[in-house]
Amino acid sequence: MGYPVTAIYFSPTDTSRKGACAIAKALGGTYNELDLTCQGAKAQYGSSEAVVFGAPVYGGRLFKGFVERLAEVRGEKTPCIITVTYGNRDFDDALLELCDLVTAQGFIPVAAAALVGQHTYGSIQVGRPNKEDLDEDAAFAEKVAKKLKNGDYSTPSVPGNRPYKEGGNGGSFFPLTNDACIDCGRCVAECPMRAIGQDNRTIHTDRCIACFRCIRRCPVGAKHMDVPAYNEFAAMFTERLKAPRANAYFF
Ligand SMILES: Cc1cc2nc3c(=O)[nH]c(=O)nc-3n(C[C@H](O)[C@H](O)[C@H](O)COP(=O)(O)O)c2cc1C
Ligand code: SF4
Ligand code: SF4
């Protein structure tokens, strides 16, 4: 494909970004990214372009804040690949929700994927998507590129139920800050919800979604969730979700 391909994603801990970008790059064409993790953006795509959407599953749904940011992104019969990334539990209705949403906004979903990524909490599928996952994503993209080349813009059947299950909210583990903090301000600047005060420590719990981006991005390991209530939950959850799930592709 010679036309522009844009990976559009919301991805606090980067797993959804990796899958969507791997697929977008393997489609061929001129590669672009639109990162909606920390802010929304108005964007419009035409019928001679392609888009790859990527977002995490939160409670079996798309995160509501991502849905709001996506409202500004429009297509005009623009072919797209939709992907959701989930932490090895289940993607429930999130992929169907994304399919419905982008269709209503002028895109044509020609393929879909439910990808496994390291869970935000505990130690579940650590390191995923790994090289094998990203190779699978690329092989999938090559098949979709052939489908598009053949002029086949059909939308595949995507698992999920309507009405969608309740979900799409953040969690309620609010990160703490230890004495290692060097006041670099990175967590404040990179919080998707602007939930950290200018003192680099105060968490506005009405805005925090417990995405753990601040914990993953802190350069000195000062942001943490090392408290008994979280540690007990994380250990139980890790044990419960230890059997690896496979990526699923639809086209
Ligand atoms: C609030 C919240 C809810 C989540 N709900 C689910 C879920 O329902 N099913 C699941 O398998 N993973 C769930 N996860 C895990 C994420 O979907 C998973 O870690 C994903 O890879 C994160 O994407 P990101 O790295 O792009 O931010 C949840 C994570 C958070 C923070
Ligand atoms: S403060 Fe909350 S919303 Fe902001 S990055 Fe940290 S966990 Fe995510
Ligand atoms: S990113 Fe870490 S070191 Fe930097 S201000 Fe935040 S908690 Fe402190």
Side-chain angles (χ1 to χ4, degrees):
M1 272 194 333
Y3 49 77
V5 178
T6 306
I8 300 179
Y9 53 83
F10 172 83
S11 185
T13 61
D14 293 313
T15 61
S16 311
R17 176 183 64 77
K18 285 180 189 158
C21 293
I23 290 168
K25 282 179 185 157
L27 266 184
T30 322
Y31 177 75
N32 304 286
E33 286 185 28
L34 178 63
D35 182 354
L36 299 178
T37 309
C38 291
Q39 59 196 5
K42 230 183 163 106
Q44 175 90 40
Y45 299 89
S47 58
S48 312
E49 305 185 56
V51 165
V52 181
F53 290 99
V57 176
Y58 278 11
R61 295 279 304 275
L62 297 177
F63 168 54
K64 288 174 179 153
F66 169 63
V67 173
E68 278 169 24
R69 283 174 198 180
L70 212 53
E72 300 264 51
V73 176
R74 316 284 314 183
E76 204 179 317
K77 297 199 175 94
T78 312
C80 73
I81 301 178
I82 49 168
T83 74
V84 294
T85 299
Y86 69 104
N88 204 49
R89 185 193 65 74
D90 209 315
F91 58 99
D92 297 309
D93 302 333
L95 194 60
L96 182 65
E97 183 181 11
L98 185 56
C99 190
D100 292 344
L101 193 68
V102 300
T103 302
Q105 285 171 217
F107 294 90
I108 305 172
V110 296
L115 308 170
V116 179
Q118 177 173 342
H119 203 293
T120 312
Y121 308 138
S123 304
I124 299 157
Q125 295 302 295
V126 175
R128 291 187 76 184
N130 53 29
K131 189 181 175 307
E132 277 173 29
D133 292 315
L134 297 174
D135 286 349
E136 265 182 42
D137 291 347
F140 160 68
E142 281 160 25
K143 288 182 193 150
V144 180
K146 276 195 195 129
K147 176 175 172 172
L148 289 173
K149 211 173 162 193
N150 291 337
D152 179 358
Y153 279 39
S154 58
T155 298
S157 166
V158 166
N161 296 298
R162 297 184 194 93
Y164 318 129
K165 67 175 284 194
E166 272 301 307
N169 303 305
S172 48
F173 296 115
F174 305 122
L176 302 167
T177 309
N178 67 27
D179 290 346
C181 175
I182 53 170
D183 288 311
C184 69
R186 185 169 177 183
C187 55
V188 176
E190 298 189 21
C191 170
M193 304 306 294
R194 304 271 180 272
I196 308 178
Q198 289 304 316
D199 63 358
N200 300 318
R201 289 161 179 75
T202 307
I203 303 288
H204 299 294
T205 55
D206 54 333
R207 291 211 292 276
C208 175
I209 57 169
C211 68
F212 283 17
R213 183 176 175 91
C214 53
I215 296 178
R216 300 277 172 85
R217 297 227 163 172
C218 174
V220 293
K223 275 275 179 290
H224 70 94
M225 200 66 257
D226 188 10
V227 293
Y230 172 74
N231 290 336
E232 279 161 31
F233 163 79
M236 176 278 291
F237 208 43
T238 300
E239 178 60 25
R240 201 182 109 199
L241 297 181
K242 68 181 175 197
R245 296 198 56 179
N247 301 315
Y249 301 98
F250 311 89
F251 55 95

